[in-house]
Amino acid sequence: MTLAVTGATGPFGRHAVETLLRLGIPAGQIIAIGRDPGKLDDLRTLGVTVRFGDYNDPASLRAAFAGVDRLLFVSGSEVGQRIRQHQAVVDAAQEAGVGLVVYTSLPKADTSTMMLAEEHQATERALIASGIPYAFLRNGWYLENYTRQLPAMLEHGLFGAAGPGQISAASRGDLAEAAAVVLAGEGHENQVYELGGPSFTLAELAAEISQLSGRDVGYTDLSEDGYVKVLVEAGVPAPAAAVYADSDRAAADGALYVEGDDLERLLGRPATPRSEVLRAALAALA
């Protein structure tokens, strides 16, 4: 059985490929697909097949998916372009006769009011309409969404608009590992998994960072418009600022809170503790 992973040059796809190898999947049964195959030469050395594939190039996708039995479809990063791009992936997978598509989506994607949900809703509908067996991995926020902001947090504190909203974030590595488990496992056809780690508010996150760093990191809760203004003043482009603030607005209403234990069940262990991820990120800064 041939297993393929798109976005393999990105951190999520790369981790998923490495997890497949750790799970004992023979390298010759794995295809790593990315826009810059040169970045995958180390995987090629291990025996993994490396192919070029670009969501903006349907012909490349048709070639990349040839002979693929199961596909991990890592959602694209170009917000605003993904409905067209993702449809190209679905069409190519259908043409190639792929037997299962595992897609990385968003929590509660079918009902979420978050701006980011629209493209995921469209992709889920496209996969269902295609008739290809699917598994939807509705991934919660990455903890790395916050750890990459640590330098600014340590200097200026944490700003947001999520209020008391609970956010069920997990490490990118855990979510990618779960994706690999589904891709390589059995019984996941037409299943939906809501995936997240232990939840927290942004105020609780700031308090934990304060405790671990020994620095006073406060949380300032703003209105959605106020948060957009802060982000723009910090140099974030206005369209991206609007998306970030809308995500916090939705989080305040529970959009990023994940119930259940789907992630733990897929991993076969508890999610990596948030404190462990934060400590590692702080140590890297030091």
Side-chain angles (χ1 to χ4, degrees), residues 39-156:
K39 294 181 178 179
L40 303 172
D41 284 343
D42 59 326
L43 294 176
R44 196 196 309 269
T45 300
L46 295 175
V48 173
T49 298
V50 173
R51 292 180 181 173
F52 170 72
D54 186 334
Y55 294 169
N56 290 309
D57 182 351
S60 76
L61 297 174
R62 291 191 293 271
F65 297 167
V68 170
D69 296 303
R70 296 181 181 179
L71 175 69
L72 172 56
F73 171 13
V74 179
S75 58
S77 59
E78 297 176 76
V79 176
Q81 304 298 316
R82 294 187 290 186
I83 291 179
R84 171 183 55 80
Q85 293 173 336
H86 289 186
Q87 186 65 57
V89 175
V90 174
D91 291 345
Q94 187 177 34
E95 183 176 327
V98 173
L100 176 71
V101 173
V102 180
Y103 172 64
T104 63
S105 190
L106 188 79
K108 310 170 190 175
D110 53 339
T111 60
S112 178
T113 63
M114 191 180 297
M115 282 183 186
L116 289 174
E118 179 182 0
E119 292 169 317
H120 292 293
Q121 290 167 355
T123 306
E124 289 191 2
R125 288 195 297 265
L127 280 165
I128 292 170
S130 75
I132 304 171
Y134 61 82
F136 296 152
L137 306 179
R138 291 179 173 167
N139 291 339
W141 248 216
Y142 299 158
L143 285 169
E144 288 80 1
N145 291 354
Y146 299 107
T147 58
R148 69 187 182 193
Q149 300 178 48
L150 277 172
M153 290 183 196
L154 294 172
E155 185 70 22
H156 305 291

